[in-house]
Amino acid sequence: MLKKGERAPDFTLYATPDQKIVLSELKGKNVILAFYPADWSPVCSDQMALYNETLKYFSKHDAMLLGISVDSKWCHLAFSQSRNLHFPLLADFEPKGEVSKKYGVYDDEEGECKRALFVIDKEGRIAWSYLSPTAINPGADGILDALESLKKK
Amino acid sequence: MGSLLKPPVGPGDHVIGHADAAVEIVEYGDFQCPHCAAAHPVTKEILKVFGDQVRFVFRNFPLAESHRYATIAAIAAEAAGLQHKYWEMHDMIFEHQASLSYDSLFVLAGKLGLNPEQFERDLQNEALRDKVESDFESGIRSGVNGTPSFFVNGNKFDGAAGDLFAMLKESSN
């Protein structure tokens, strides 16, 4: 798993069925990557629902949240609509898990991402990373602490 | 992740019990969350069984995107608090969660004998909305990851209300 200080590998992934997001194009903004195992599963649903409520606190720190799993763009669309999510979900779908593997958070046994968080600073460096036990929703406090310490720099 | 209650219980909190109680329980809850409604009778029972040994604090953690009445219900409880009926309203909302709506809050306020004009005005009170929001923010900073979340003597407790009850029973034996 990539650690603090390393350069965040660039990627281009579908955010909606006809729109892709390129990480390097987000330079100048802090970026939060939330890798999660699967759309619809209970812990992931709770975690994404929580982040949906905390976007306001992220944007205070000039940070954009991106959820990532290996689910397809159409699956993400349905999940996002059903949970009324206000942030993009990226499809690490083809080649499957390629981005998760680059970040060192792919679970080969399950064929899913692990539950992992990265905060990437405005220059594209990893400022903080955290691997959560798969069954546990890591909350948002670690993200906010990391964003706060970026501001102090 | 971070599991300490931030900030500690203070004068802005709604508290049952004494400051010198051995066990301080803080719940972050959402009035429209079914798990919180299920936890409600359990926390009542804890207070009954352990009496003076426990003090109980409730902080708001409305998941407004999932539960459309969560925020207004939290404000309604705070509004009742301004008329010295915080806990009565708190209990009533959980006990009538199945029929929760904007109008039902007025019915409950009526049952408690609140001044209806003041109650209605206070539902729009920005200071109360800010209080609910600052509770929510403190929850995030304390590592709340869902509702209900409990803190025991300032540390996050990983479990439901029933687990908390069992833990207290065990440690009092």
mmCIF file of all heavy atoms in Angstrom, chain A residues 42-71:
data_model
loop_
_atom_site.group_PDB
_atom_site.id
_atom_site.type_symbol
_atom_site.label_atom_id
_atom_site.label_comp_id
_atom_site.label_asym_id
_atom_site.label_seq_id
_atom_site.Cartn_x
_atom_site.Cartn_y
_atom_site.Cartn_z
ATOM 1 N N PRO A 42 -23.444 -3.810 2.976
ATOM 2 C CA PRO A 42 -23.903 -2.968 4.099
ATOM 3 C C PRO A 42 -22.855 -1.969 4.598
ATOM 4 O O PRO A 42 -23.182 -0.792 4.759
ATOM 5 C CB PRO A 42 -24.250 -3.980 5.194
ATOM 6 C CG PRO A 42 -24.378 -5.291 4.524
ATOM 7 C CD PRO A 42 -23.573 -5.237 3.265
ATOM 8 N N VAL A 43 -21.626 -2.405 4.830
ATOM 9 C CA VAL A 43 -20.644 -1.483 5.411
ATOM 10 C C VAL A 43 -20.290 -0.377 4.407
ATOM 11 O O VAL A 43 -20.178 0.795 4.756
ATOM 12 C CB VAL A 43 -19.366 -2.226 5.876
ATOM 13 C CG1 VAL A 43 -18.340 -1.244 6.427
ATOM 14 C CG2 VAL A 43 -19.720 -3.255 6.941
ATOM 15 N N CYS A 44 -20.155 -0.770 3.132
ATOM 16 C CA CYS A 44 -19.833 0.227 2.107
ATOM 17 C C CYS A 44 -20.957 1.239 1.982
ATOM 18 O O CYS A 44 -20.719 2.437 1.816
ATOM 19 C CB CYS A 44 -19.604 -0.436 0.759
ATOM 20 S SG CYS A 44 -18.264 -1.633 0.797
ATOM 21 N N SER A 45 -22.191 0.759 2.056
ATOM 22 C CA SER A 45 -23.329 1.672 1.941
ATOM 23 C C SER A 45 -23.313 2.672 3.080
ATOM 24 O O SER A 45 -23.528 3.866 2.881
ATOM 25 C CB SER A 45 -24.646 0.891 1.955
ATOM 26 O OG SER A 45 -24.713 0.026 0.839
ATOM 27 N N ASP A 46 -23.041 2.189 4.295
ATOM 28 C CA ASP A 46 -22.988 3.093 5.457
ATOM 29 C C ASP A 46 -21.843 4.092 5.315
ATOM 30 O O ASP A 46 -21.990 5.266 5.641
ATOM 31 C CB ASP A 46 -22.776 2.308 6.756
ATOM 32 C CG ASP A 46 -24.025 1.562 7.172
ATOM 33 O OD1 ASP A 46 -25.081 1.772 6.555
ATOM 34 O OD2 ASP A 46 -23.936 0.752 8.117
ATOM 35 N N GLN A 47 -20.711 3.600 4.830
ATOM 36 C CA GLN A 47 -19.548 4.469 4.702
ATOM 37 C C GLN A 47 -19.818 5.574 3.669
ATOM 38 O O GLN A 47 -19.546 6.744 3.920
ATOM 39 C CB GLN A 47 -18.327 3.638 4.286
ATOM 40 C CG GLN A 47 -17.023 4.424 4.328
ATOM 41 C CD GLN A 47 -15.838 3.632 3.783
ATOM 42 O OE1 GLN A 47 -15.977 2.487 3.354
ATOM 43 N NE2 GLN A 47 -14.683 4.254 3.785
ATOM 44 N N MET A 48 -20.377 5.191 2.525
ATOM 45 C CA MET A 48 -20.649 6.193 1.486
ATOM 46 C C MET A 48 -21.752 7.151 1.949
ATOM 47 O O MET A 48 -21.700 8.345 1.679
ATOM 48 C CB MET A 48 -21.028 5.513 0.158
ATOM 49 C CG MET A 48 -19.894 4.687 -0.444
ATOM 50 S SD MET A 48 -18.344 5.615 -0.690
ATOM 51 C CE MET A 48 -17.173 4.599 0.210
ATOM 52 N N ALA A 49 -22.743 6.629 2.682
ATOM 53 C CA ALA A 49 -23.812 7.496 3.206
ATOM 54 C C ALA A 49 -23.229 8.500 4.196
ATOM 55 O O ALA A 49 -23.636 9.668 4.230
ATOM 56 C CB ALA A 49 -24.907 6.667 3.872
ATOM 57 N N LEU A 50 -22.271 8.059 4.974
ATOM 58 C CA LEU A 50 -21.632 8.973 5.936
ATOM 59 C C LEU A 50 -20.866 10.068 5.183
ATOM 60 O O LEU A 50 -21.005 11.256 5.496
ATOM 61 C CB LEU A 50 -20.677 8.193 6.848
ATOM 62 C CG LEU A 50 -19.924 9.052 7.874
ATOM 63 C CD1 LEU A 50 -20.864 9.513 8.988
ATOM 64 C CD2 LEU A 50 -18.746 8.297 8.472
ATOM 65 N N TYR A 51 -20.082 9.673 4.184
ATOM 66 C CA TYR A 51 -19.297 10.673 3.442
ATOM 67 C C TYR A 51 -20.208 11.652 2.705
ATOM 68 O O TYR A 51 -19.860 12.814 2.515
ATOM 69 C CB TYR A 51 -18.328 9.991 2.467
ATOM 70 C CG TYR A 51 -17.228 9.218 3.167
ATOM 71 C CD1 TYR A 51 -16.445 8.299 2.493
ATOM 72 C CD2 TYR A 51 -16.983 9.412 4.519
ATOM 73 C CE1 TYR A 51 -15.439 7.590 3.136
ATOM 74 C CE2 TYR A 51 -15.986 8.698 5.173
ATOM 75 C CZ TYR A 51 -15.225 7.793 4.480
ATOM 76 O OH TYR A 51 -14.245 7.088 5.124
ATOM 77 N N ASN A 52 -21.370 11.148 2.299
ATOM 78 C CA ASN A 52 -22.332 12.022 1.640
ATOM 79 C C ASN A 52 -22.741 13.172 2.565
ATOM 80 O O ASN A 52 -23.070 14.262 2.104
ATOM 81 C CB ASN A 52 -23.559 11.173 1.292
ATOM 82 C CG ASN A 52 -24.290 11.659 0.074
ATOM 83 O OD1 ASN A 52 -23.700 12.289 -0.798
ATOM 84 N ND2 ASN A 52 -25.576 11.377 0.021
ATOM 85 N N GLU A 53 -22.717 12.911 3.867
ATOM 86 C CA GLU A 53 -23.093 13.936 4.851
ATOM 87 C C GLU A 53 -21.903 14.819 5.225
ATOM 88 O O GLU A 53 -22.084 15.856 5.848
ATOM 89 C CB GLU A 53 -23.597 13.286 6.147
ATOM 90 C CG GLU A 53 -24.676 12.244 5.973
ATOM 91 C CD GLU A 53 -26.059 12.824 5.802
ATOM 92 O OE1 GLU A 53 -26.229 14.039 6.026
ATOM 93 O OE2 GLU A 53 -26.967 12.060 5.420
ATOM 94 N N THR A 54 -20.692 14.378 4.903
ATOM 95 C CA THR A 54 -19.515 15.116 5.376
ATOM 96 C C THR A 54 -18.804 15.884 4.249
ATOM 97 O O THR A 54 -17.759 16.481 4.481
ATOM 98 C CB THR A 54 -18.499 14.161 6.047
ATOM 99 O OG1 THR A 54 -18.142 13.140 5.127
ATOM 100 C CG2 THR A 54 -19.069 13.509 7.288
ATOM 101 N N LEU A 55 -19.408 15.874 3.055
ATOM 102 C CA LEU A 55 -18.778 16.547 1.906
ATOM 103 C C LEU A 55 -18.496 18.019 2.197
ATOM 104 O O LEU A 55 -17.471 18.561 1.807
ATOM 105 C CB LEU A 55 -19.701 16.451 0.681
ATOM 106 C CG LEU A 55 -19.892 15.046 0.113
ATOM 107 C CD1 LEU A 55 -20.901 15.085 -1.025
ATOM 108 C CD2 LEU A 55 -18.569 14.479 -0.371
ATOM 109 N N LYS A 56 -19.449 18.615 2.909
ATOM 110 C CA LYS A 56 -19.322 20.022 3.263
ATOM 111 C C LYS A 56 -18.042 20.287 4.063
ATOM 112 O O LYS A 56 -17.356 21.286 3.843
ATOM 113 C CB LYS A 56 -20.556 20.340 4.111
ATOM 114 C CG LYS A 56 -20.657 21.720 4.607
ATOM 115 C CD LYS A 56 -22.032 21.954 5.190
ATOM 116 C CE LYS A 56 -22.061 21.532 6.650
ATOM 117 N NZ LYS A 56 -23.301 21.919 7.317
ATOM 118 N N TYR A 57 -17.710 19.357 4.957
ATOM 119 C CA TYR A 57 -16.513 19.526 5.781
ATOM 120 C C TYR A 57 -15.258 19.275 4.955
ATOM 121 O O TYR A 57 -14.224 19.886 5.181
ATOM 122 C CB TYR A 57 -16.569 18.605 7.004
ATOM 123 C CG TYR A 57 -17.788 18.872 7.841
ATOM 124 C CD1 TYR A 57 -18.921 18.072 7.732
ATOM 125 C CD2 TYR A 57 -17.838 19.965 8.706
ATOM 126 C CE1 TYR A 57 -20.060 18.338 8.470
ATOM 127 C CE2 TYR A 57 -18.969 20.245 9.441
ATOM 128 C CZ TYR A 57 -20.081 19.427 9.326
ATOM 129 O OH TYR A 57 -21.203 19.705 10.048
ATOM 130 N N PHE A 58 -15.376 18.381 3.969
ATOM 131 C CA PHE A 58 -14.231 18.156 3.076
ATOM 132 C C PHE A 58 -13.996 19.400 2.215
ATOM 133 O O PHE A 58 -12.859 19.814 2.011
ATOM 134 C CB PHE A 58 -14.464 16.946 2.158
ATOM 135 C CG PHE A 58 -14.621 15.637 2.887
ATOM 136 C CD1 PHE A 58 -15.355 14.595 2.317
ATOM 137 C CD2 PHE A 58 -14.020 15.432 4.125
ATOM 138 C CE1 PHE A 58 -15.492 13.380 2.972
ATOM 139 C CE2 PHE A 58 -14.159 14.211 4.790
ATOM 140 C CZ PHE A 58 -14.901 13.186 4.206
ATOM 141 N N SER A 59 -15.082 19.971 1.703
ATOM 142 C CA SER A 59 -14.882 21.093 0.774
ATOM 143 C C SER A 59 -14.355 22.327 1.502
ATOM 144 O O SER A 59 -13.686 23.159 0.892
ATOM 145 C CB SER A 59 -16.141 21.387 -0.034
ATOM 146 O OG SER A 59 -17.169 21.777 0.803
ATOM 147 N N LYS A 60 -14.602 22.430 2.800
ATOM 148 C CA LYS A 60 -13.984 23.500 3.586
ATOM 149 C C LYS A 60 -12.466 23.438 3.495
ATOM 150 O O LYS A 60 -11.781 24.433 3.663
ATOM 151 C CB LYS A 60 -14.362 23.364 5.065
ATOM 152 C CG LYS A 60 -15.628 24.082 5.452
ATOM 153 C CD LYS A 60 -15.808 24.023 6.973
ATOM 154 C CE LYS A 60 -17.267 24.293 7.320
ATOM 155 N NZ LYS A 60 -17.592 23.864 8.684
ATOM 156 N N HIS A 61 -11.953 22.227 3.270
ATOM 157 C CA HIS A 61 -10.503 22.039 3.143
ATOM 158 C C HIS A 61 -10.096 21.931 1.678
ATOM 159 O O HIS A 61 -9.043 21.385 1.369
ATOM 160 C CB HIS A 61 -10.074 20.771 3.890
ATOM 161 C CG HIS A 61 -10.230 20.874 5.373
ATOM 162 N ND1 HIS A 61 -9.371 21.605 6.155
ATOM 163 C CD2 HIS A 61 -11.161 20.368 6.210
ATOM 164 C CE1 HIS A 61 -9.760 21.523 7.420
ATOM 165 N NE2 HIS A 61 -10.836 20.789 7.474
ATOM 166 N N ASP A 62 -10.986 22.402 0.807
ATOM 167 C CA ASP A 62 -10.685 22.399 -0.613
ATOM 168 C C ASP A 62 -10.379 20.976 -1.104
ATOM 169 O O ASP A 62 -9.444 20.760 -1.879
ATOM 170 C CB ASP A 62 -9.480 23.332 -0.873
ATOM 171 C CG ASP A 62 -9.498 23.866 -2.292
ATOM 172 O OD1 ASP A 62 -10.546 23.714 -2.946
ATOM 173 O OD2 ASP A 62 -8.469 24.400 -2.736
ATOM 174 N N ALA A 63 -11.146 20.039 -0.611
ATOM 175 C CA ALA A 63 -10.891 18.634 -0.946
ATOM 176 C C ALA A 63 -12.095 18.025 -1.656
ATOM 177 O O ALA A 63 -13.242 18.314 -1.329
ATOM 178 C CB ALA A 63 -10.586 17.842 0.314
ATOM 179 N N MET A 64 -11.789 17.174 -2.639
ATOM 180 C CA MET A 64 -12.821 16.491 -3.404
ATOM 181 C C MET A 64 -12.749 15.000 -3.089
ATOM 182 O O MET A 64 -11.664 14.431 -3.053
ATOM 183 C CB MET A 64 -12.524 16.730 -4.884
ATOM 184 C CG MET A 64 -13.531 16.123 -5.804
ATOM 185 S SD MET A 64 -13.012 16.423 -7.510
ATOM 186 C CE MET A 64 -14.388 15.657 -8.355
ATOM 187 N N LEU A 65 -13.894 14.403 -2.843
ATOM 188 C CA LEU A 65 -13.934 12.976 -2.521
ATOM 189 C C LEU A 65 -14.268 12.148 -3.745
ATOM 190 O O LEU A 65 -15.205 12.464 -4.483
ATOM 191 C CB LEU A 65 -15.000 12.737 -1.446
ATOM 192 C CG LEU A 65 -15.305 11.268 -1.131
ATOM 193 C CD1 LEU A 65 -14.152 10.618 -0.390
ATOM 194 C CD2 LEU A 65 -16.586 11.146 -0.317
ATOM 195 N N LEU A 66 -13.507 11.069 -3.956
ATOM 196 C CA LEU A 66 -13.801 10.112 -5.019
ATOM 197 C C LEU A 66 -13.904 8.717 -4.408
ATOM 198 O O LEU A 66 -12.959 8.258 -3.766
ATOM 199 C CB LEU A 66 -12.681 10.117 -6.073
ATOM 200 C CG LEU A 66 -12.332 11.461 -6.736
ATOM 201 C CD1 LEU A 66 -11.064 11.321 -7.586
ATOM 202 C CD2 LEU A 66 -13.491 11.943 -7.599
ATOM 203 N N GLY A 67 -15.030 8.070 -4.593
ATOM 204 C CA GLY A 67 -15.152 6.670 -4.181
ATOM 205 C C GLY A 67 -14.640 5.792 -5.319
ATOM 206 O O GLY A 67 -14.802 6.138 -6.483
ATOM 207 N N ILE A 68 -14.025 4.677 -5.006
ATOM 208 C CA ILE A 68 -13.537 3.755 -6.055
ATOM 209 C C ILE A 68 -13.812 2.305 -5.659
ATOM 210 O O ILE A 68 -13.496 1.889 -4.542
ATOM 211 C CB ILE A 68 -11.997 3.865 -6.257
ATOM 212 C CG1 ILE A 68 -11.589 5.304 -6.563
ATOM 213 C CG2 ILE A 68 -11.544 2.928 -7.378
ATOM 214 C CD1 ILE A 68 -10.112 5.444 -6.919
ATOM 215 N N SER A 69 -14.401 1.575 -6.590
ATOM 216 C CA SER A 69 -14.489 0.121 -6.406
ATOM 217 C C SER A 69 -14.392 -0.522 -7.787
ATOM 218 O O SER A 69 -14.358 0.184 -8.795
ATOM 219 C CB SER A 69 -15.813 -0.260 -5.734
ATOM 220 O OG SER A 69 -16.865 -0.222 -6.672
ATOM 221 N N VAL A 70 -14.370 -1.850 -7.814
ATOM 222 C CA VAL A 70 -14.244 -2.538 -9.106
ATOM 223 C C VAL A 70 -15.605 -2.712 -9.800
ATOM 224 O O VAL A 70 -15.681 -3.307 -10.873
ATOM 225 C CB VAL A 70 -13.567 -3.934 -8.955
ATOM 226 C CG1 VAL A 70 -12.148 -3.771 -8.425
ATOM 227 C CG2 VAL A 70 -14.382 -4.854 -8.052
ATOM 228 N N ASP A 71 -16.653 -2.174 -9.205
ATOM 229 C CA ASP A 71 -17.970 -2.277 -9.849
ATOM 230 C C ASP A 71 -17.996 -1.461 -11.150
ATOM 231 O O ASP A 71 -17.252 -0.502 -11.312
ATOM 232 C CB ASP A 71 -19.053 -1.754 -8.898
ATOM 233 C CG ASP A 71 -19.167 -2.604 -7.642
ATOM 234 O OD1 ASP A 71 -19.696 -3.715 -7.739
ATOM 235 O OD2 ASP A 71 -18.690 -2.154 -6.578
#
